Amino acid sequence: MEDQRKLEEGFGARTQFENEKNIDDHKHVYVEKNNSRTGVHDISNENEPRSVATADLKTEEQKEEQPLIKQKTKRIATLDAFRGLTIVLMVLVDDAGEAYSRIDHSPWNGCTLADFVMPFFLFIVGVAIALALKRIPDVNYAVRKIILRTLKLLFWGILLQGGYSHAPNDLVYGVDMKHIRWCGILQRIALVYLIVALIETFTTKVRPTSPTLGHFSIFTAYKWQWIGGFSAFVIYMVTLFSLYVPDWTFTAQNGDKIGRYTVKCGMRGHLGPACNAVGYVDRQVWGVNHLYTQPVWARLRACTFSFPSSGPLREDAPTWCLAPFEPEGLLSSISAIMSGTIGIHYGHVLIHFEGHAERLKQWVSMGVVLLALACILHFADAIPINKQLYSFSYVCFTAGAAGIVYSSFYILIDVWGLRTPFLFLEWIGMNAMLVFVMAAQGIFAAFINGWYFKNPDNNLIYMATNLDILLFLQAKNIKFYVCFNQVTWIQKHVFIDVWKSKRPGTLLYVIFAEITFWAVVSGILHKLGIYWKL
C-alpha cells in the first residue's frame, strides 16, 4: 500500500513536463508546495558564500524538491490498467464484433460494448492531463509540448485511418487525396486533448492553493475547465437542433454500378441517420468524399434483413443506406470535449482529496448521477443515447460508466492491493500506442502477410491455406513456414475447427492469439523499459 504522502501527490507520478524541462534547460527547478508558480534557482555561482538565511532557504527548497526526485520513476497503476482495459476492449470488439454483432457498434440509437471505447479513451486522457499538468514549471514550454503532441496524434491518425495504410489485407499503400479521410480516432483524441490541456495550462495561476477542497467547492475551484466543457455543450446542442439541413447528394457504388443519389431533408433538429446536423457539418467542412464510407447505420433494419449484423442491402432500402457518414466528425468531436472535461475532474479529485473514502465518494456519486441523467434523457425520448452523433445522453452514460469502472479499479488495485491480476492490463496500458497501431490497426498482421513466395499472391495467408503450396514446400524441404502462425490459419484450424463453431472460436482466438499475445509483448517491453510515447 502506498503511503499517504505519495497518494497526495497522485500516487507518486512525476509530471513529464517537469522531467523534460529540467533536462532541457539544465536548471534546478523547484515547485512551491501550495502554489503552481515555479522559482528557478541558478546554480552557476554555487560556490559563492551565502548567508545563513540563504542557506536555510536552500535547505527548505531541497526538502520541497526531494519528493519530486523520488517520484521520477513511479507510475499510476489504476491509470495504466484502465487505459489497458480500453485497448483490450477495442481489440475485442474490432475482431470479435463480426461474430457477435451485439458487442459491435450500435447501428444508431443505443449503446453496446464497442461504444464505450472512444469515451473511455477520452476520459482517461482527461485524468492523465490533470495529473501531468498539476504543476507547470513553464506555461510557454507546456503549450509547446501540448501543440507538438497534438500534431503527432493528427499525423498518426491520418496515416492510419485516412486511407494511406491498407493494412492488414492489402500489401499496398497510398491514398487518393480526393478521397482521404481527415477524421478518425486519434484525430478526435488530439482535438479533445488540445482543448482540455490548454485550458488546464492557461488557468494555472487561478488554481486553488489549498490541498483539500469541499465536496462541491472543487467544481468552483476549477470553474474554467467546466466553463470550457459547458461551452462545448452549448455549441453542440444549439447547432444540433437549430441548423437547417437541406437536401444533399453523393456518389456511391451499389453492386456493380456507381450511381449518384439524393437524400431528401429540408428540416432542422432531426436526430435520424439521414438529415442530422452532425453529418451536415462534416459534409460542408470536409466534403462528402472525405467521410467514412462504411458507416454502421448500414446494419439498421431499414437497410438490411441481416439486422443487427452486416448483410446485403434490401431492395427497398432508402438511399442514405449507401451514403458516407463520419463517426468521428467535427461537431461530434466538439461534444466529445465534455468527456475529457469529466475525466479531468476525476483527476482533480485524485489530487485534492487525500483519503480513499473522500475520493470514492466524489467519483461514484458523480458516476451515478451521470448514468441516471443519461437514462432519463434516453428513455424519455428527449435525447437518445447515440455514439454516431455523440449525443449529450451518450456523453453522460459513457462518462458515468467510465467513472464507475475507474472507481472499481481504484478499489481493487490501490485500496485492496490486488494488483497482480491486472498486471497484463497495466503492461498494455503502458504501451497503449504500440498495441493500438500494431494490433487494432493491423500493422503487425500486415507485416506478417508481407512475406510471400515468388509473388505477392503467395503470401502467408495463401501458403497457410493452400495444400499445394504446403506440399511443394515440404518436397523442397523448405520448413520456414512452420515458424509463421498466420492469423486466418490459426483462427480457422486451431480455434473454429476445434470448437465446431465460428462464434466461440473467433472469441477465443481474439482472447488468446491477440490480447494474450500483446499482453506478453507489452510485459516484455516493460521489463526492458521500452515504451512508445507521443
Side-chain angles (χ1 to χ4, degrees):
M1 186 72 67
E2 303 284 356
D3 58 48
Q4 189 61 37
R5 175 65 177 171
K6 291 180 180 178
L7 288 173
E8 291 176 6
E9 299 297 333
F11 306 117
R14 191 178 187 185
T15 71
Q16 179 184 1
F17 289 131
E18 290 168 0
N19 292 334
E20 295 178 350
K21 180 64 176 175
N22 288 342
I23 294 173
D24 292 346
D25 291 351
H26 301 283
K27 292 181 179 179
H28 180 77
V29 180
Y30 69 91
V31 185
E32 298 178 11
K33 183 175 181 180
N34 293 327
N35 201 310
S36 299
R37 291 175 296 176
T38 302
V40 178
H41 174 58
D42 190 351
I43 62 174
S44 59
N45 299 321
E46 197 67 35
N47 294 327
E48 292 184 2
R50 294 187 299 268
S51 65
V52 175
T54 304
D56 291 341
L57 177 60
K58 180 171 178 57
T59 301
E60 292 299 322
E61 293 171 1
Q62 291 174 338
K63 289 181 181 179
E64 290 300 321
E65 176 196 13
Q66 192 65 22
L68 293 177
I69 296 176
K70 289 182 178 180
Q71 297 164 13
K72 184 175 181 179
T73 58
K74 293 291 294 181
R75 292 196 58 100
I76 304 172
T78 302
L79 193 68
D80 285 328
F82 189 93
R83 189 184 294 111
L85 173 68
T86 307
I87 292 289
V88 166
L89 285 179
M90 171 176 283
V91 174
L92 178 65
V93 299
D94 281 353
D95 296 336
E98 184 178 355
Y100 293 87
S101 57
R102 293 295 180 182
I103 70 172
D104 202 353
H105 289 292
S106 174
W108 198 244
N109 292 338
C111 191
T112 63
L113 189 62
D115 295 325
F116 287 102
V117 174
M118 173 57 76
F120 274 27
F121 268 128
L122 300 178
F123 174 87
I124 210 64
V125 165
V127 177
I129 288 173
L131 298 176
L133 301 181
K134 61 183 177 182
R135 293 189 179 98
I136 301 176
D138 188 311
V139 171
N140 292 330
Y141 178 80
V143 170
R144 291 196 300 269
K145 294 295 294 183
I146 291 169
I147 294 175
L148 179 60
R149 180 169 293 179
T150 300
L151 294 176
K152 289 179 179 179
L153 286 168
L154 290 173
F155 168 77
W156 282 104
I158 294 175
L159 184 68
L160 294 171
Q161 295 192 300
Y164 185 85
S165 171
H166 298 259
N169 299 321
D170 297 329
L171 302 180
V172 296
Y173 61 88
V175 60
D176 183 354
M177 293 299 292
K178 291 183 178 180
H179 298 281
I180 189 173
R181 182 188 176 198
W182 296 114
C183 300
I185 295 172
L186 293 181
Q187 294 93 311
R188 170 169 285 176
I189 293 176
L191 174 64
V192 174
Y193 169 78
L194 176 67
I195 300 300
V196 175
L198 287 180
I199 294 175
E200 184 79 355
T201 300
F202 287 128
T203 58
T204 180
K205 293 183 179 181
V206 296
R207 292 183 187 177
T209 57
S210 174
T212 57
L213 297 170
H215 188 80
F216 295 103
S217 61
I218 190 170
F219 290 92
T220 57
Y222 289 95
K223 60 179 179 296
W224 289 107
Q225 284 77 356
W226 287 107
I227 290 174
F230 181 74
S231 299
F233 165 77
V234 171
I235 293 172
Y236 173 80
M237 294 295 287
V238 170
T239 306
L240 182 67
F241 288 100
S242 65
L243 186 64
Y244 178 80
V245 180
D247 299 346
W248 55 284
T249 60
F250 66 95
T251 302
Q253 184 169 353
N254 187 7
D256 298 331
K257 299 180 180 179
I258 297 179
R260 188 169 183 83
Y261 304 91
T262 300
V263 179
K264 297 292 184 180
C265 291
M267 62 184 72
R268 56 170 50 90
H270 186 65
L271 301 182
C275 302
N276 57 78
V278 172
Y280 177 65
V281 169
D282 290 327
R283 291 191 295 272
Q284 294 299 113
V285 174
W286 313 116
V288 70
N289 293 329
H290 297 280
L291 307 182
Y292 186 55
T293 57
Q294 298 175 331
V296 295
W297 68 27
R299 294 191 282 110
L300 281 169
R301 197 185 304 275
C303 298
T304 178
F305 289 113
S306 302
F307 168 85
S309 303
S310 300
L313 294 180
R314 300 168 45 155
E315 293 183 359
D316 60 343
T319 56
W320 53 261
C321 292
L322 294 165
F325 181 82
E326 184 51 68
E328 279 85 36
L330 179 59
L331 185 59
S332 54
S333 293
I334 292 176
S335 176
I337 294 173
M338 292 184 283
S339 295
T341 302
I342 295 171
I344 205 171
H345 173 76
Y346 274 69
H348 292 153
V349 169
L350 183 63
I351 294 171
H352 289 284
F353 289 83
E354 300 179 358
H356 298 315
E358 289 81 1
R359 290 169 176 168
L360 289 170
K361 185 188 300 182
Q362 284 273 342
W363 290 340
V364 174
S365 61
M366 187 170 188
V368 170
V369 170
L370 289 172
L371 287 172
L373 178 59
C375 291
I376 292 173
L377 292 174
H378 179 76
F379 291 106
D381 291 329
I383 303 176
I385 296 174
N386 189 295
K387 189 266 181 187
Q388 309 305 313
L389 299 177
Y390 219 99
S391 63
F392 178 64
S393 57
Y394 173 75
V395 172
C396 295
F397 187 75
T398 53
I404 298 298
V405 173
Y406 187 83
S407 301
S408 301
F409 272 26
Y410 180 82
I411 293 172
L412 293 171
I413 297 174
D414 291 294
V415 178
W416 294 351
L418 300 177
R419 187 172 179 178
T420 302
F422 303 98
L423 277 177
F424 78 101
L425 293 179
E426 286 188 46
W427 295 337
I428 293 176
M430 292 176 189
N431 255 311
M433 186 64 183
L434 175 71
V435 180
F436 172 82
V437 172
M438 293 295 176
Q441 297 302 307
I443 300 301
F444 179 76
F447 169 77
I448 295 298
N449 296 343
W451 300 90
Y452 56 86
F453 183 75
K454 288 189 176 180
N455 64 75
D457 291 334
N458 293 335
N459 57 35
L460 286 178
I461 298 178
Y462 188 76
M463 289 192 295
T465 55
N466 190 297
L467 181 60
D468 293 335
I469 294 295
L470 295 178
L471 293 176
F472 170 79
L473 294 174
Q474 289 175 347
K476 296 294 185 179
N477 199 27
I478 301 176
K479 299 180 180 180
F480 70 91
Y481 65 88
V482 178
C483 300
F484 297 99
N485 293 325
Q486 208 287 319
V487 174
T488 57
W489 189 91
I490 294 177
Q491 183 175 351
K492 182 179 186 302
H493 295 284
V494 177
F495 291 97
I496 296 178
D497 286 355
V498 170
W499 285 89
K500 306 299 181 183
S501 175
K502 181 180 179 180
R503 299 184 71 191
T506 300
L507 180 61
L508 292 174
Y509 162 76
V510 173
I511 293 174
F512 290 104
E514 294 195 33
I515 295 174
T516 304
F517 171 78
W518 286 107
V520 172
V521 171
S522 300
I524 294 173
L525 293 176
H526 169 59
K527 294 300 181 182
L528 297 175
I530 300 174
Y531 308 100
W532 183 0
K533 298 179 180 179
L534 293 181

